Amino acid sequence: QLQLVESGGGLVQPGGSLRLSCAASELTLNSYAIGWFRQAPGKEREGVSCISSYSGSTDYADSVKGRFTISRDNAKNTVYLQMNSLKPEDTAVYYCAAALWRSSCLKEAMEFWGKGTRVTVSS
């Protein structure tokens, strides 16, 4: 069974950058679609970005498009979320999740979840 551990969260000023990491226990990381989700206080968990297991194609929520970049390093069994130009509304707990052999990252379809890493964007 796949285990996921997020790291890289913290406090950053608006306009700053963070890189989140999602370390996976499997050697065949590219067999999984990996998604980043976030949950702000009082809100539902929402999808942020996804990298497909089929092609490595990526998708982003409109709210982060152009600012965030998802990538995969199969040798390190790690998926990253590079977050630039951070805004206060990006403040949330960020989770990575995985689904085997999927081309999308629908929240309901994700099979494995990390425990999250907190991102706070504040001046």
Side-chain angles (χ1 to χ4, degrees):
Q1 55 185 337
L2 186 67
Q3 298 178 39
L4 303 172
V5 179
E6 303 96 334
S7 62
L11 175 65
V12 64
Q13 292 185 327
S17 298
L18 285 174
R19 188 179 73 165
L20 304 184
S21 298
C22 176
S25 60
E26 292 286 329
L27 294 176
T28 54
L29 183 62
N30 61 354
S31 297
Y32 296 87
I34 305 294
W36 284 98
F37 299 79
R38 67 187 182 187
Q39 188 166 19
K43 295 185 177 181
E44 293 290 316
R45 192 171 300 183
E46 64 177 354
V48 175
S49 186
C50 178
I51 185 163
S52 172
S53 64
Y54 291 112
S55 64
S57 62
T58 58
D59 289 294
Y60 301 91
D62 289 341
S63 59
V64 307
K65 196 170 298 181
R67 299 187 297 120
F68 291 10
T69 303
I70 190 169
S71 62
R72 188 199 311 264
D73 187 334
N74 291 309
K76 295 182 178 179
N77 288 329
T78 301
V79 171
Y80 303 97
L81 185 68
Q82 179 66 46
M83 306 187 297
N84 298 325
S85 301
L86 283 162
K87 304 175 180 179
E89 49 263 46
D90 295 318
T91 295
V93 176
Y94 283 71
Y95 301 86
C96 65
L100 186 63
W101 293 116
R102 299 292 179 89
S103 60
S104 62
C105 296
L106 295 176
K107 181 173 63 177
E108 295 79 9
M110 307 312 290
E111 302 171 56
F112 308 98
W113 291 83
K115 294 184 177 181
T117 186
R118 178 72 169 167
V119 172
T120 302
V121 184
S122 177
S123 60

